[in-house]
Amino acid sequence: MLDASIKTQLAGYLQRLGQPVELVAALDARPASAELRALLEEIASLSPQIRLRLDGEAERRPSFTVGAAGAPARVAFAALPLGHEFNSLVLALLQAGGHPPRLEADVVEQIRGLEGEFVFETYMSLSCHNCPDLVQALNLLALLNPGVRHVAIDGALFRDEVEARAVMAVPSVFLNGQAFGSGRMEIGEILARIDSGAAARAAARLARQEPFDVLIVGGGPAGAAAAVYAARKGIRTGIVAERFGGQTLDTLAIQNYVSVPETEGPKFAAALEAHARSYGVEIVDGQRVAALEAPPAGGGPGRVRLANGVELVGRAIVVAPGARWRQVGVPGEDEYRNKGVAYCPHCDGPLFKGKRVAVIGGGNSGVEAAIDLAGIVSHVTLLEYADELKADAVLVARLRSLANVEVVTGAQTTEIRGDGNKVEALVWRERAGGAERHIELAGVFVQIGLVPNTEWLRGTLELTQHGEIVVDAKGATSRPGVFAAGDATTVPYKQIIVAAGEGSKAALSAFEHLIREARPA
C-alpha cells in the first residue's frame, strides 16, 4: 500500500508519539474496506504506540477513528486517506499522540475555550488540494476541544450521501447537520464563525497595532516578496491579507518557479508565510480591506481601513491584492455556484464522475481543465468564444486526441439552467449564425481568466478600464507613498515569478521613498 520510502519517513514521524494512539475501523465487504484495512495494518506495524481495532460500529463504512487510547475518539475518516489527505492522517496521528500543533498559544486557548457541541462533517475529494487544510483545521479543533467532533468524508466513496445532500463542490462542510460552508477556510475563519466573541477580540487587538514603516495589502507572492524585502531593511513591516498565499492556494502544481522544479500551491504558500515570519513581519491574516487613505501630499502616513472598521497605519503602502476567477456573467451562474458551477476542476472534478460537463474557456487553463476532466467524466464539451482555441499547440493537440471531448468555437454562453438545486443544462449561441444551442449536463467549469481585486481602490488610485492598478517602472502608483505589485497591476504576464519580482521592486521603491521623506516629528 505504502512504498518503502514513505514507510521509512512515516516510521520516523511516528517516533514523536508521546502517548498510545488507537485506530478503530468500521469495515464492510467493499474493496475499499480491504484497502483501508491494509493501509491501517501497515501504519500500525510501524509503531508500538499505535493499536488497531477492527470492531468499529460507525454507520459509514469503510471508516475509522483516530484518538488517544482510552479516550473517546473525536476525529474520523470515512475515506481511504491517500493522495492529498495522507498528510491529514499523519497529522491526526501525531496530534492524537500528544505532539503539539503549530499554532499560536492564543489560538489554542481560544479553541479550548469554545463552549457547546460542534459536529462537523467535511465532504472532500482525494484530488482536492484545498481540502487538506480544512480537514486538518477541523481535526485540530476536535483534538483540542472535547465538544468538537469531525469526520472527513470522501465524496467519491459515499456518492449516495453526496447526492442526497446535493454536494456539488469540495470541500463542503456541514455543522450539526446544516450546511456550514464550501471552499477553502482557514482556522481563524472557522473560529470567527463559531466563537461569538472572536470578531470583537480581533478588532480590539488590531486597534492596538503600532504604525508600520511599510504596510502591505495582500499575502500572495507579490505581497510576501515585498514583505521580505522591506523587513530585510530593518524597518517595521506588516501584511494584511484575507488569506495568506492568494491564488497559489488554488494552484495544484507549480513547475515554472525558477530553482523549484515542482511543488504544490499550498506548500508554496506555506513557504511564503514562513519566509516572511522569519524576518519578523507582522501578519494580519483573515482580514478583508475595505478602503485606502493614501499618504497626504505634504507627507505623513497612509491608512488602510479593514471591513471591521479598524484602521492600520503605514508610512508607505504596498498594494498587492491579486485577482480572482472571472465569471461568465450569465443567468444561473451565481444561483448554481457550488451546485454544478465550479472553478476548480482538480477539486470538484471527482464529484462529476461518469457525468457530462462543460468547460468554458479555450486558453491554457480551460484546455488543461478539459483534459483532466476527460479522464473522470463521461463527456466534456469545451466552449470558446473566439473562432479558435488560444491554448498552447501541444495542449490543443492533446485535447483533440481525446474521444470523449467535443470542442465548440465561436460559442457565446448565454445561460446556465437547473432545477433549483443543481445544474441541468447549458445554453449557448453560435456567434456566426445566431442559432441557440442547448446541452444537458451536470456541471459547468468556468476557466476564462482573472479579475483584479481592486474595487475598493476606485476613486483612490488610477485604474485602467479593466480595473488594473496603473504603475510605473518602479511600481509607483498615481499617489505618492503608495506602490503596487502583482496580478492586480498593469504589469503584463500574470505569473508567480513575475509577481514576486514586482513585489520586491515595490518594497525597494517604498524604502527609497521613506529615506527621502522626513520622518514626522
Side-chain angles (χ1 to χ4, degrees):
M1 181 65 69
L2 301 176
D3 65 37
S5 63
I6 291 178
K7 288 172 70 172
T8 300
Q9 293 178 46
L10 181 56
Y13 283 127
L14 295 179
Q15 290 179 8
R16 304 175 187 179
L17 295 176
Q19 62 187 25
V21 174
E22 191 170 65
L23 304 176
V24 182
L27 306 175
D28 57 17
R30 288 198 285 173
S33 283
E35 292 181 72
L36 179 58
R37 177 172 179 169
L39 173 65
L40 297 180
E41 288 176 341
E42 214 163 9
I43 290 172
S45 72
L46 298 176
S47 171
Q49 293 275 52
I50 298 179
R51 177 191 175 194
L52 172 62
R53 287 172 39 204
L54 302 174
D55 58 352
E57 299 180 353
E59 292 184 7
R60 293 188 183 96
R61 296 171 183 262
S63 67
F64 67 100
T65 60
V66 181
R74 301 189 296 273
V75 169
F77 291 86
L80 183 66
L82 296 174
H84 291 296
E85 290 299 341
F86 187 67
N87 284 345
S88 301
L89 171 57
V90 174
L91 284 173
L93 289 168
L94 292 175
Q95 291 160 359
H99 191 70
R102 291 184 178 180
L103 275 182
E104 294 84 354
D106 59 336
V107 178
V108 173
E109 182 181 352
Q110 181 182 3
I111 294 171
R112 288 178 170 155
L114 290 172
E115 296 181 356
E117 295 293 323
F118 304 92
V119 179
F120 289 98
E121 301 166 288
T122 301
Y123 292 89
M124 51 81 175
S125 71
L126 301 182
S127 61
C128 169
H129 55 280
N130 284 326
C131 295
D133 285 349
L134 178 55
V135 169
Q136 291 161 24
L138 291 172
N139 282 349
L140 193 51
L141 261 65
L143 289 164
L144 290 173
N145 187 306
V148 181
R149 286 182 288 152
H150 177 233
V151 55
I153 306 159
D154 181 1
L157 199 56
F158 294 89
R159 297 189 63 81
D160 290 346
E161 198 169 321
V162 164
E163 294 284 346
R165 279 185 155 175
V167 175
M168 303 293 288
V170 291
S172 286
V173 183
F174 287 75
L175 172 58
N176 297 336
Q178 302 298 315
F180 178 76
S182 182
R184 188 181 184 89
M185 282 183 276
E186 304 291 341
I187 197 165
E189 181 182 351
I190 298 167
L191 288 171
R193 294 182 60 181
I194 63 176
D195 182 356
S196 58
R201 290 195 301 272
R205 184 173 63 253
L206 291 174
R208 295 192 294 269
Q209 284 280 4
E210 294 294 322
F212 295 97
D213 291 310
V214 173
L215 177 59
I216 299 153
V217 178
V228 168
Y229 268 73
R232 281 172 58 88
K233 296 296 185 181
I235 58 180
R236 178 167 162 73
T237 304
I239 288 182
V240 57
E242 196 161 357
R243 58 175 194 161
F244 204 99
Q247 291 178 62
T248 63
L249 294 169
D250 302 321
T251 303
L252 182 61
I254 298 171
Q255 300 172 327
N256 57 355
Y257 195 87
V258 178
S259 82
V260 182
E262 184 172 3
T263 186
E264 296 177 349
K267 288 183 179 179
F268 187 83
L272 291 178
E273 182 172 355
H275 198 176
R277 288 189 185 278
S278 72
Y279 283 105
V281 174
E282 183 76 25
I283 296 178
V284 179
D285 204 3
Q287 296 292 333
R288 184 169 61 84
V289 175
L292 167 68
E293 181 183 324
R303 298 175 183 275
V304 168
R305 188 175 75 249
L306 307 183
N308 62 11
V310 172
E311 288 189 344
L312 300 178
V313 179
R315 294 177 57 214
I317 309 289
V318 175
V319 180
R324 63 187 183 276
W325 291 115
R326 184 182 298 277
Q327 293 185 245
V328 185
V330 298
E333 182 176 15
D334 286 336
E335 180 182 356
Y336 292 104
R337 184 189 303 273
N338 296 327
K339 298 178 181 179
V341 175
Y343 299 84
C344 179
H346 303 296
C347 301
D348 300 331
L351 297 177
F352 296 88
K353 183 177 182 180
K355 299 181 179 180
R356 299 176 69 88
V357 302
V359 173
I360 301 175
N364 283 346
S365 296
V367 171
E368 288 174 351
I371 292 170
D372 288 344
L373 290 166
I376 302 171
V377 304
S378 65
H379 188 271
V380 180
T381 301
L382 185 143
L383 301 176
E384 165 56 36
Y385 182 83
D387 293 330
E388 59 183 27
L389 300 181
K390 296 170 286 185
D392 295 341
V394 63
L395 293 175
V396 174
R398 170 63 178 148
L399 180 74
R400 293 191 182 279
S401 72
L402 301 175
N404 63 335
V405 174
E406 178 186 2
V407 176
V408 182
T409 56
Q412 180 180 2
T413 303
T414 57
E415 185 181 1
I416 298 170
R417 295 177 181 172
D419 64 0
N421 295 310
K422 62 183 184 300
V423 167
E424 290 187 327
L426 177 71
V427 182
W428 58 277
R429 180 182 298 113
E430 293 179 355
R431 290 180 56 231
E436 187 173 89
R437 304 296 183 186
H438 175 276
I439 313 170
E440 293 186 358
L441 41 66
V444 178
F445 290 82
V446 180
Q447 301 281 289
I448 56 173
L450 301 169
V451 178
N453 296 317
T454 56
E455 291 84 355
W456 58 284
L457 292 169
R458 292 193 181 280
T460 303
L461 300 181
E462 181 184 356
L463 307 178
T464 69
Q465 62 177 343
H466 302 297
E468 294 179 326
I469 305 166
V470 177
V471 294
D472 67 10
K474 290 189 172 183
T477 70
S478 58
R479 299 294 296 271
V482 180
F483 304 84
D487 287 0
T489 72
T490 50
V491 172
Y493 310 120
K494 313 304 184 185
Q495 298 290 314
I496 293 173
I497 198 164
V498 174
E502 292 296 313
S504 60
K505 182 200 297 183
L508 293 173
S509 297
F511 180 70
E512 183 180 82
H513 168 79
L514 290 178
I515 61 177
R516 292 175 182 274
E517 176 197 56
R519 181 185 290 270

